[in-house]
Amino acid sequence: MKRKKLIGLMLSAAIGITSLTGCGNTNSTGTADSGAPESSDAAQDTETTGTESTGTETAASGERVKLEIWDWWGDGQYKYVIEQLCQNFNESQDKYEVVHVNYPWGDVWTKALAATAAGNSPDIIIQDIRTVTHRGQANQATDLTDLIAQEGEGFTDQFYPQLMDAMIYDGKVYGLPYVTDTRILYYDKDAFAEAGLDPEAPPQTWDELVEYARKLDVKKDDGSYDRLGFYPGTLEWNAWAFSADGKDYTDADGNVTVNTPEKVELFENIYNDFYEYYGKKELDSFSAEFGSGMTNPFVAGKVAMWVNTPTEFTKVRDFAPEKNYGVAMMPALKEGGEHYSWGGGFSVEIPYGAKDVAGSWEFAKFITSKESQVYWASQVYDTVANIEASQDPSLMEIPVFEAALEAMPTTVVTLDRLTAPGASDIVLPYLDEIILGNKTPQEALDEAQAQVVQLVEDNK
């Protein structure tokens, strides 16, 4: 709650389900360029790879202001849902007509940057939550501070505070949080019962995780493993680091926390309890068969416990519907410690220079509202940024949403800090050195700490 109050103070200091019919589509395909400026009709240009949902005749005739939302949701359920939200907004008023434009992942941001630099910005864009401050500093996103203040006190309280914090650069707000994620523990209840463990009592600490894993291991006659109780390699090493103590590698003030005692201890545990215990070669051989769908290790029963995002439950639903499983928060490092997790997400932004900021703002508010966010979550199973929406009873019927809701207060949303851009990329190779057995956790993290400290110095 302290962070919510801080946001409110910053803002004060700075100034002060609807229709289920889908949108039509017109496809244009071609070769993506290297960042040439895009026109407002870029999606219709045969030299681009964008796909635009067509507007209505009222938009074409100029009776409404046509606005474009840019993202990468070009197929499947995500495309359907974002276009349905466009349709819902369009039917809710008669001044604006929002159309959906999608480009491939990554390309959308490159093209938006070029278009903004050329003075021909998109109207709304879905962006990486980790880098909002970069666009704020570079004047590539519209300052929303005054618009938020006009909504009245408490407007930003509808979003998770760590997500709202990510929207702020130099005391001003440059986006609204849209979706996020966290990591939770999945466990096989039938395997628990088979191993003599309580299916309703998942591990709460790292020590319990290891204890349970040993009981859940199943060996073949030749000594290799048919099932592992737990495999830590399904979670990115940086994510494990953040889960140790709830601290990113740097903070907003440039303090560096790479080699904290908790991070060192956790990587000692990962290496000693798994990679040294089983042998890295054995684990690599075992995990080489991991895949998606039916070869997903949890779906296939190759691991009894693993950590992943809440949306991973759809793989179990689709490929192992009879599987009896549970979900829980990630284990704490020690008894009585916090169950830290890691997350990221996406923001809704209005690029600098957008032609109708008032209309773009109305749509940004619409798709981050409780109703729109409940619809989004119910259809694509993302963890949404709107707190009230994430708590909606209709979502709580799905166990992973309840687990995600419980995990969010202690989920670390890591940012690409302006004081230390690319810090995670610097640290990751050192974490690999630990897993390879080339460096001790203390050695590796001390060296990484020095590298990030120098990075911060170089960016002062």
Side-chain angles (χ1 to χ4, degrees), residues 102-116:
N102 67 81
Y103 293 99
W105 170 267
D107 285 358
V108 61
W109 298 322
T110 303
K111 288 180 177 295
L113 181 63
T116 300

Side-chain angles (χ1 to χ4, degrees), residues 5-121:
K5 292 178 181 177
L6 177 61
I7 294 167
L9 290 172
M10 286 179 170
L11 295 175
S12 297
I15 28 181
I17 252 181
T18 61
S19 167
L20 292 178
T21 57
C23 299
N25 292 287
T26 300
N27 295 339
S28 297
T29 59
T31 303
D33 59 34
S34 59
E38 299 294 319
S39 72
S40 60
D41 293 321
Q44 298 176 10
D45 188 334
T46 56
E47 295 302 313
T48 73
T49 59
T51 301
E52 177 183 335
S53 306
T54 58
T56 65
E57 290 184 6
T58 55
S61 68
E63 293 179 15
R64 292 191 183 204
V65 177
K66 179 180 176 181
L67 303 174
E68 294 179 348
I69 176 171
W70 286 22
D71 57 49
W72 58 96
W73 295 315
D75 54 27
Q77 189 70 355
Y78 279 89
K79 180 178 188 291
Y80 169 79
V81 175
I82 191 63
E83 292 182 357
Q84 181 60 61
L85 288 174
C86 292
Q87 182 76 5
N88 293 349
F89 175 74
N90 294 340
E91 292 177 352
S92 73
Q93 46 72 54
D94 58 9
K95 186 173 182 180
Y96 303 102
E97 190 77 19
V98 174
V99 295
H100 175 228
V101 177
N102 67 81
Y103 293 99
W105 170 267
D107 285 358
V108 61
W109 298 322
T110 303
K111 288 180 177 295
L113 181 63
T116 300
N120 199 11
S121 305

Side-chain angles (χ1 to χ4, degrees), residues 134-413:
H134 290 256
R135 290 180 292 280
Q137 182 192 52
N139 205 32
Q140 294 165 353
T142 298
D143 176 6
L144 306 179
T145 309
D146 288 350
L147 291 168
I148 289 172
Q150 291 169 18
E151 298 298 323
E153 185 177 357
F155 176 81
T156 59
D157 291 350
Q158 65 185 303
F159 304 109
Y160 283 105
Q162 66 268 51
L163 303 180
M164 200 62 224
D165 282 352
M167 304 295 105
I168 297 173
Y169 167 69
D170 197 24
K172 297 180 180 180
V173 183
Y174 289 90
L176 294 180
Y178 190 56
V179 295
T180 185
D181 56 25
T182 186
R183 270 66 185 165
I184 58 177
L185 179 75
Y186 291 77
Y187 66 98
D188 188 322
K189 289 188 174 184
D190 289 341
F192 266 49
E194 173 192 306
L197 298 169
D198 184 349
E200 304 306 323
Q204 298 300 304
T205 64
W206 180 269
D207 286 345
E208 282 189 355
L209 179 73
V210 175
E211 176 190 346
Y212 288 17
R214 299 290 187 263
K215 293 179 179 179
L216 290 161
D217 285 344
V218 175
K219 276 190 173 184
K220 298 178 183 178
D221 292 339
D222 63 3
S224 63
Y225 288 88
D226 189 51
R227 183 182 73 199
L228 286 178
F230 181 72
Y231 177 68
T234 58
L235 185 62
E236 183 184 332
W237 299 129
N238 279 327
W240 276 119
F242 307 138
S243 76
D245 54 9
K247 295 179 181 177
D248 200 344
Y249 293 137
T250 64
D251 64 17
D253 297 321
N255 299 307
V256 181
T257 50
V258 173
N259 65 345
T260 64
E262 294 84 2
K263 288 185 175 74
V264 171
E265 181 178 352
L266 182 57
F267 277 93
E268 287 174 344
N269 292 346
I270 290 173
Y271 182 76
N272 295 333
D273 295 335
F274 290 93
Y275 285 87
E276 186 174 57
Y277 178 85
Y278 296 101
K280 186 176 186 303
K281 183 177 180 181
E282 176 69 24
L283 289 183
D284 287 347
S285 175
F286 185 82
S287 63
E289 299 179 8
F290 291 0
S292 60
M294 292 298 296
T295 57
N296 173 290
F298 189 70
V299 168
K302 301 298 288 183
V303 294
M305 298 183 291
W306 80 330
V307 173
N308 218 302
T309 62
T311 54
E312 282 295 300
F313 96 93
T314 59
K315 293 184 174 62
V316 183
R317 180 199 64 190
D318 295 343
F319 298 102
E322 302 305 316
K323 194 175 189 71
N324 182 23
Y325 72 98
V327 289
M329 296 179 72
M330 287 182 64
L333 180 59
K334 291 183 177 295
E335 184 75 32
E338 289 283 8
H339 296 259
Y340 291 116
S341 187
W342 169 67
F346 299 101
S347 57
V348 181
E349 298 175 29
I350 302 173
Y352 184 81
K355 65 177 178 288
D356 194 313
V357 171
S360 296
W361 175 242
E362 289 303 312
F363 185 69
K365 288 190 299 178
F366 182 86
I367 63 171
T368 57
S369 67
K370 176 188 174 183
E371 292 76 13
S372 293
Q373 293 255 284
V374 169
Y375 177 61
W376 181 273
S378 70
Q379 299 300 305
V380 300
Y381 306 109
D382 280 339
T383 302
V384 288
N386 186 297
I387 298 174
E388 192 176 357
S390 72
Q391 298 171 341
D392 192 79
S394 67
L395 301 180
M396 292 303 101
E397 296 175 4
I398 304 173
V400 291
F401 277 118
E402 188 172 359
L405 182 63
E406 187 178 9
M408 277 306 299
T410 50
T411 293
V412 183
V413 177

Side-chain angles (χ1 to χ4, degrees), residues 120-142:
N120 199 11
S121 305
D123 301 293
I124 311 103
I125 188 168
I126 304 297
Q127 282 279 12
D128 180 3
I129 202 170
R130 298 175 63 250
T131 52
V132 176
T133 55
H134 290 256
R135 290 180 292 280
Q137 182 192 52
N139 205 32
Q140 294 165 353
T142 298

